[in-house]
């Protein structure tokens, strides 16, 4: 599997210094996802999983009014003419998010403009989410008379229940501002629009400089802990520590990292 731009039609990819930058590239459609984008991400995550070059993934969206407004309501996300078989409950999130595709490389999401509905497939799997001051978040499912479940349930444990239920029930009548998103821990940082991409890149480069195996093991252990009782989660964490020690002996930190100043946020 490769990560050449010619392999993709609805996203842009760029790999440099261990950081893979992925850009949703349907600005005329509010960067909504369709079957082409679903195929792109399915191919992408297979390539990222097997790549030694990729250490961190940054997801952003082409300039415009939206980061992503979910599924393209005109095209849908399935192939033209495709109908699900009886009892076939597949979901676009099965292919869009890295963790749903067994990719444990740190995943940074940089949001500008509108992030609605299916955009939460990525937000819910983000290890670090940041946004610009103009970002707004909402769930329009009930506006169209459609049940909202997968995306908001995926946010449980990430943001408080009442914040989720309010977003679902008020649909498009109320949007979550960048400031409120920070307060409820949907994002970890707010930047200006012009600083959004450089800031995401700087965070990614810092993480990419670290040893990949313990970094990815930390991501996986934290992710799996969300679905486990506390005692089982701790036991699972110990298992990953032992695997990391056996697979990657501890090395002295590079001088460049030792001398790097720390910051407060």
């Amino acid at each position: 599997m490769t990560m050449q731009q010619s392999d993709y039609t609805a996203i842009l990819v760029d790999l440099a210094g261990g950081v893979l930058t992925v850009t949703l590239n349907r600005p005329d459609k509010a960067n909504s996802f369709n079957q082409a984008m679903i195929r792109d991400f399915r191919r992408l995550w297979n390539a990222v999983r097997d790549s030694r070059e990729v250490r961190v993934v940054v997801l952003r969206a082409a300039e415009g009014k939206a980061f992503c407004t979910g599924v393209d309501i005109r095209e849908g996300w399935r192939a033209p003419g495709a109908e699900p078989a009886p009892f076939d409950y597949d979901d676009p999130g099965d292919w869009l998010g890295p963790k749903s595709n067994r990719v444990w490389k740190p995943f940074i999401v940089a949001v500008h403009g509108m992030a609605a509905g299916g955009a939460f497939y990525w937000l819910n799997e983000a290890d670090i989410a940041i946004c610009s001051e103009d970002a707004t978040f909402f769930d329009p499912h009930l506006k169209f008379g459609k049940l909202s479940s997968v995306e908001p349930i995926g946010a449980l444990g990430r943001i408080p229940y009442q914040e989720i239920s309010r977003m679902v029930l008020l649909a498009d009548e109320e949007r979550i501002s960048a400031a409120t998103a920070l307060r409820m821990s949907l994002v970890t940082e707010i930047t200006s629009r012009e600083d959004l991409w450089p800031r995401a890149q700087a965070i990614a480069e810092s993480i990419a400089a670290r040893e990949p195996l313990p970094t990815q093991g930390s991501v996986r252990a934290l992710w799996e802990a969300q679905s486990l009782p506390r005692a089982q989660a701790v036991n699972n964490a110990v298992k990953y520590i032992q695997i990391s020690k056996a697979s990657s002996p501890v090395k002295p930190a590079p001088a460049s990292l030792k001398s790097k100043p720390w910051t407060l946020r």
Side-chain angles (χ1 to χ4, degrees):
M1 302 294 293
T2 65
M3 279 168 285
Q4 301 297 319
Q5 184 56 59
S6 58
D7 294 331
Y8 305 99
T9 60
I11 61 175
L12 304 176
V13 296
D14 179 68
L15 176 59
V19 178
L20 177 66
T21 301
V22 181
T23 306
L24 307 179
N25 194 37
R26 303 185 75 226
D28 57 324
K29 302 294 184 181
N31 292 312
S32 58
F33 55 82
N34 58 359
Q35 174 63 18
M37 190 178 286
I38 293 284
R39 287 197 309 268
D40 281 354
F41 273 98
R42 193 172 193 174
R43 185 178 298 113
L44 177 78
W45 296 132
N46 284 334
V48 170
R49 189 189 312 114
D50 297 334
S51 172
R52 291 181 177 272
E53 296 178 78
V54 179
R55 293 190 171 203
V56 182
V57 179
V58 173
L59 179 68
R60 62 192 196 184
E63 291 287 0
K65 64 182 180 179
F67 168 77
C68 176
T69 55
V71 66
D72 186 318
I73 58 174
R74 289 187 173 82
E75 292 187 30
W77 63 272
R78 289 187 170 89
E83 293 294 335
F87 306 108
D88 183 1
Y89 298 108
D90 60 341
D91 184 81
D94 295 340
W95 297 284
L96 290 174
K99 294 171 180 66
S100 296
N101 288 273
R102 306 187 316 282
V103 173
W104 306 109
K105 300 176 182 186
F107 182 51
I108 299 168
V109 177
V111 178
H112 76 270
M114 295 184 291
F120 278 79
Y121 286 123
W122 290 300
L123 285 165
N124 290 345
E125 296 197 11
D127 298 300
I128 299 175
I130 67 174
C131 72
S132 56
E133 297 161 332
D134 67 333
T136 59
F137 305 83
F138 60 103
D139 183 351
H141 280 82
L142 292 182
K143 171 186 178 180
F144 303 107
K146 294 186 177 182
L147 183 147
S148 180
S149 59
V150 179
E151 298 95 319
I153 289 172
L156 286 171
R158 182 170 294 256
I159 57 178
Y161 174 85
Q162 278 196 110
E163 301 287 7
I164 299 172
S165 59
R166 178 170 177 151
M167 178 179 70
V168 168
L169 295 174
L170 289 177
D172 65 325
E173 293 182 21
E174 179 179 271
R175 298 184 183 184
I176 296 168
S177 68
T180 300
L182 180 64
R183 173 181 60 77
M184 68 170 67
S185 298
L186 179 55
V187 300
T188 61
E189 184 177 338
I190 302 171
T191 75
S192 65
R193 181 72 171 263
E194 56 268 26
D195 288 340
L196 180 64
W197 289 4
R199 180 58 180 148
Q201 181 69 21
I203 293 172
E205 289 175 355
S206 179
I207 297 170
R210 306 187 186 282
E211 286 294 321
L213 192 144
T215 299
Q216 293 169 36
S218 297
V219 169
R220 182 166 183 174
L222 283 168
W223 181 258
E224 291 181 349
Q226 297 179 99
S227 303
L228 298 173
R230 185 181 184 281
Q232 189 177 348
V234 172
N235 287 336
N236 197 52
V238 172
K239 175 187 69 177
Y240 278 115
I241 291 172
Q242 298 305 318
I243 292 172
S244 179
K245 285 181 178 179
S247 304
S248 180
V250 176
K251 301 176 183 177
S256 59
L257 288 184
K258 287 182 178 179
S259 61
K260 191 173 183 179
W262 54 267
T263 60
L264 285 173
R265 71 173 177 92

